[in-house]
Amino acid sequence: MDAENEMFDDNRTWQVATRLQQEHLSDPKQVVEAMSDAVKAFVGEAEQSDDLTMLAIQYKGKG
């Protein structure tokens, strides 16, 4: 939540994911870092209201 008690909701998550896709950013570590940065920027100086867990998986096709 930010200082106005607004949540970083699914819509915001999709917006960041779409931007990352447009930038051709697909490395799982970079995706998690970019999403984390977006959440931190959104929250600003507000006190942390919940934990943050993320998982990114990269499919590399059949071996």
Side-chain angles (χ1 to χ4, degrees):
M1 291 186 166
D2 66 3
E4 286 80 38
N5 292 325
E6 300 233 1
M7 294 185 73
F8 193 90
D9 57 12
D10 291 342
N11 185 45
R12 287 184 175 91
T13 301
W14 279 109
Q15 288 174 354
V16 174
T18 299
R19 177 180 56 82
L20 297 176
Q21 183 180 26
Q22 291 169 346
E23 295 173 3
H24 304 288
L25 187 70
S26 61
D27 177 72
K29 183 177 179 181
Q30 291 177 321
V31 169
V32 169
E33 288 173 355
M35 191 65 71
S36 180
D37 290 346
V39 171
K40 288 176 187 175
F42 173 78
V43 170
E45 296 296 320
E47 185 176 330
Q48 185 172 346
S49 61
D50 203 351
D51 62 339
L52 182 62
T53 304
M54 288 185 266
L55 172 68
I57 300 171
Q58 183 177 23
Y59 177 70
K60 295 193 175 202
K62 289 187 172 183

